[in-house]
């Protein structure tokens, strides 16, 4: 087993020569470790974070991102992005993430040019690189973004280990993909659709209480699938308040099913060999 102290030093060594660095910061564990590493390697004055603000980012995630940046003493830029103006994103095909990441990195590159940052980084880790079909990674690479976690060989488990080693409050934070990932491919992504998903997830968390960790409300168009931790599936199926919470959030007539949470479950429909699924 590789020592976590060695892993963290490898990451700092990777970033030490980056110069002034702008971190594409979602607030998740991966980009949080990149941001913390940049501060440790370069100093807070040489680092800033940029978080794209749009309907696909839950308000609670933006608040947490702001708090994390403040704790590190780094400037946090929060430009509004307009990925829904891009047909390829709005139409929600399998390459939706390509268009989303393109908008984010184009925004970050413009900001870097204006403010004199030499390097832009993302939170892509070694597990992401090995996962196969990740069109967003390609969009970032096309725009010159660096991937210090992947380049230092840190996979998802190693990233969390480093976060815990450094005492970062996000070390055990559940994965939090963007809201658009809850919408089935081929169904148009709209602000209203994303807003009702966010309302539904918040409401269901309120019903289930602190016991819930991973939770997704999947908008399937003519139906809704709630995914929760395996130990909560039966409770969610039997608790009438769960269904009421989802319907009151805006899914008034759609049938609701409850399944075990699986990250990336919406990709099950991607059977084309080009996707690697």
């Amino acid at each position: 087993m590789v020592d976590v102290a060695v892993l963290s030093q490898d990451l700092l060594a990777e970033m030490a020569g980056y110069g002034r660095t702008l971190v594409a910061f979602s607030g998740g564990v991966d980009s949080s470790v990149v941001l913390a590493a940049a501060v440790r390697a370069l100093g807070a004055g040489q680092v800033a974070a940029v978080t794209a603000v749009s309907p696909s980012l839950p308000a609670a995630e933006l608040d947490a991102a702001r708090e994390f940046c403040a704790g590190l003493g780094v400037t946090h830029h929060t430009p509004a992005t307009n990925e829904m103006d891009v047909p390829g994103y709005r139409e929600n095909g399998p390459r939706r993430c390509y268009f989303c990441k393109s908008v984010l990195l184009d925004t970050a590159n413009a900001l870097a040019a204006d403010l004199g940052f030499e390097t832009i980084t993302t939170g892509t880790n070694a597990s992401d690189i090995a996962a196969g079909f990740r069109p967003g990674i390609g969009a970032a690479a096309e725009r010159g973004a660096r991937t210090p976690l992947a380049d230092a060989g840190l996979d998802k488990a190693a990233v969390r280990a480093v976060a815990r080693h450094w005492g970062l409050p996000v070390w055990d934070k559940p994965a939090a993909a963007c809201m658009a990932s809850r919408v089935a491919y081929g169904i148009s992504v709209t602000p209203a659709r994303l807003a009702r998903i966010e309302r539904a997830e918040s409401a269901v968390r309120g019903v289930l209480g602190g016991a819930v960790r991973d939770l997704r409300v999947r908008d399937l168009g003519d139906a809704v699938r709630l995914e929760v931790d395996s130990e909560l599936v039966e409770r969610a199926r039997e608790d009438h308040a769960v269904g009421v919470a989802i319907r009151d959030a805006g899914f008034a007539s759609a049938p609701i099913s409850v399944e075990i949470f699986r990250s990336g479950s919406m990709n099950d429909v991607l059977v084309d060999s080009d996707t690697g699924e």
Side-chain angles (χ1 to χ4, degrees):
M1 178 179 292
V2 178
D3 190 309
V4 67
V6 173
L7 291 173
S8 61
Q9 288 303 313
D10 288 346
L11 179 58
L12 297 182
E14 168 65 29
M15 301 191 72
Y18 277 16
R20 295 194 73 224
T21 296
L22 182 63
V23 178
F25 181 58
S26 70
V29 181
D30 296 330
S31 60
S32 293
V33 168
V34 171
L35 186 59
V39 170
R40 286 169 180 253
L42 303 168
Q46 299 299 304
V47 178
V50 56
T51 301
V53 177
S54 77
S56 67
L57 178 69
E61 290 296 317
L62 179 57
D63 290 342
R66 285 177 169 144
E67 183 177 351
F68 188 84
C69 289
L72 290 177
V74 301
T75 300
H76 186 202
H77 301 279
T78 55
T81 53
N82 300 300
E83 58 265 32
M84 288 189 197
D85 292 343
V86 179
Y89 177 87
R90 189 174 60 249
E91 293 164 3
N92 194 24
R95 289 177 58 79
R96 179 197 64 237
C97 291
Y98 176 89
F99 300 102
C100 180
K101 192 70 76 172
S102 296
V103 171
L104 168 60
L105 268 299
D106 287 344
T107 301
N109 273 322
L111 187 64
D114 287 343
L115 300 179
F117 288 96
E118 300 171 51
T119 303
I120 296 174
T121 68
T122 71
T124 297
N125 62 51
S127 298
D128 297 327
I129 298 295
F133 182 63
R134 293 294 179 92
I137 293 176
E142 289 172 3
R143 288 156 177 81
R146 300 190 68 167
T147 56
L149 299 177
D151 293 345
L154 275 69
D155 61 13
K156 288 185 180 297
V159 173
R160 287 192 181 272
V162 170
R164 186 173 189 178
H165 177 64
W166 285 346
L168 302 182
V170 299
W171 75 268
D172 64 344
K173 181 179 180 178
C178 80
M179 300 303 295
S181 69
R182 277 78 150 167
V183 182
Y185 291 120
I187 297 173
S188 181
V189 177
T190 66
R193 192 177 293 277
L194 298 182
R196 73 174 181 175
I197 293 171
E198 184 175 358
R199 289 194 303 269
E201 291 189 352
S202 178
V204 173
R205 284 187 181 276
V207 172
L208 297 178
V212 65
R213 175 176 171 83
D214 288 309
L215 182 153
R216 298 286 188 274
V217 170
R218 310 288 195 187
D219 186 340
L220 308 181
D222 57 357
V224 180
R225 184 170 73 240
L226 170 65
E227 296 182 9
V228 293
D229 307 303
S230 58
E231 65 272 19
L232 294 175
V233 168
E234 289 306 316
R235 177 182 165 190
R237 286 173 176 167
E238 296 171 2
D239 192 335
H240 177 70
V242 170
V244 170
I246 293 174
R247 295 190 191 287
D248 287 351
F251 295 94
S253 59
I256 301 167
S257 61
V258 181
E259 304 293 341
I260 297 172
F261 167 76
R262 287 191 301 117
S263 179
S265 64
M266 297 297 256
N267 289 338
D268 289 350
V269 300
L270 301 181
V271 296
D272 190 290
S273 61
D274 288 341
T275 69
E277 293 295 323

